[in-house]
Amino acid sequence: MSVRIRGVYATALTALLENVVQASPPIRERFDADFPVAPAAATVETTGDRQGVCVAGDRDRVAAVTDRLRGVGRDTLTWVADLPRGAVYAGEITGTLGGGAVVDVGDGEGYLPYSKTARHVEEGDRLRVQVEEPSPPWADGRPVLDTTVRVHGPLVGLVRGGTATATGPELADLVGTDPPEGWAPDWGRASDDASLDALDAALDTAGERARALDEALADGPPPAEDAPHRYDDGDSSRWVWFGRESRFALDGHRRAVVETMAGHHRVKAAT
């Protein structure tokens, strides 16, 4: 099963993991290899503070990748995300801040920027939200929420209630699969380099996820009647934090591909 990797650990983790897809241009150049532009079963993305990565996607692939990363060093620590990427909740606003609102979703608190909702919100309001950006357990910030429901995907995502745009890969009009009714495609950058079969497979997978979300939302109670409430579990999401020993081990994996100074990943994590 495939994995897409981004961030400061990308070179080391590309050397460490198997079935890497949608590699960035620098990675393709360093490895002197053509990586498939195919749907990814899981994504590995460096956290904003560069202390570790978030692994999200298919449950089995996420578990396998996390187990592999856990073996990098004795001080590699892992957590299951309390609020996974893409999870959908009925939440209640418990406080308002300068740029957004704090929302209790039952499994924890999230932060809803005012720019992520079309309505005026205040304390006590109940509304449906989705986890847009999970927050690592070692950070102080809350996960970022959005009132727009999406299916996330590096090649193509889907937006519930969205409007189709003219932007997209040249092959988009030839894709045989149509998005479910009420959903609009949101094509990713990598889609320009993907084959027709890859685009079709990605849209088909996203469509299955969208239909599952439609069913979960239709079967669940309105937010006003039952909040907090979880409609959908979202993607399997786990956090991986790399300690000192682990970062030196990752230096070794990177050094096998490209010249790397000692402490490279420690320096990157500190900047």
Side-chain angles (χ1 to χ4, degrees):
M1 299 175 73
S2 54
V3 59
R4 177 183 185 267
I5 306 170
R6 289 294 187 273
V8 298
Y9 299 101
T11 302
L13 297 187
T14 299
L16 185 65
L17 300 174
E18 299 177 348
N19 298 324
V20 174
V21 298
Q22 301 177 40
S24 65
I27 294 298
R28 295 198 299 267
E29 181 178 350
R30 285 171 190 164
F31 283 81
D32 191 22
D34 292 326
F35 293 86
V37 182
T43 61
V44 179
E45 297 187 5
T46 301
T47 58
D49 59 8
R50 300 183 175 185
Q51 298 296 305
V53 297
C54 178
V55 186
D58 173 81
R59 186 172 304 278
D60 291 340
R61 184 56 171 155
V62 167
V65 169
T66 304
D67 286 345
R68 184 71 181 91
L69 298 184
R70 190 182 290 117
V72 167
R74 291 175 297 177
D75 55 357
T76 297
L77 306 179
T78 65
W79 295 262
V80 175
D82 291 334
L83 270 64
R85 184 185 71 179
V88 181
Y89 295 92
E92 180 172 349
I93 294 178
T94 58
T96 55
L97 305 173
V102 178
V103 184
D104 176 17
V105 297
D107 292 335
E109 287 184 339
Y111 176 71
L112 176 66
Y114 294 134
S115 61
K116 298 290 187 179
T117 176
R119 53 176 278 196
H120 172 76
V121 294
E122 56 188 23
E123 189 171 340
D125 285 352
R126 296 180 172 187
L127 70 173
R128 185 184 64 212
V129 292
Q130 183 179 42
V131 180
E132 180 72 15
E133 298 176 20
S135 180
W138 59 81
D140 294 332
R142 299 179 178 90
V144 176
L145 308 176
D146 196 339
T147 54
T148 299
V149 175
R150 303 173 183 270
V151 173
H152 296 86
L155 281 184
V156 62
L158 292 173
V159 182
R160 195 169 193 256
T163 302
T165 64
T167 59
E170 293 182 1
L171 297 176
D173 291 339
L174 301 178
V175 174
T177 300
D178 292 323
E181 184 177 355
W183 294 80
D186 180 19
W187 296 101
R189 292 182 181 179
S191 64
D192 288 330
D193 299 321
S195 68
L196 185 59
D197 287 343
L199 295 176
D200 191 68
L203 190 54
D204 182 65
T205 299
E208 290 182 6
R209 176 84 179 102
R211 284 185 285 271
L213 279 169
D214 279 338
E215 184 176 343
L217 294 174
D219 292 343
E225 295 180 5
D226 188 13
H229 172 84
R230 187 197 310 150
Y231 293 106
D232 184 86
D233 293 339
D235 297 329
S236 177
S237 304
R238 300 192 185 189
W239 299 103
V240 182
W241 182 85
F242 299 119
R244 181 178 184 274
E245 178 182 308
S246 299
R247 292 189 183 123
F248 275 117
L250 290 171
D251 289 347
H253 289 292
R254 189 179 191 275
R255 193 173 295 115
V257 179
V258 64
E259 185 176 350
T260 301
M261 72 174 189
H264 170 85
H265 289 101
R266 290 190 68 200
V267 172
K268 287 292 186 180
T271 56

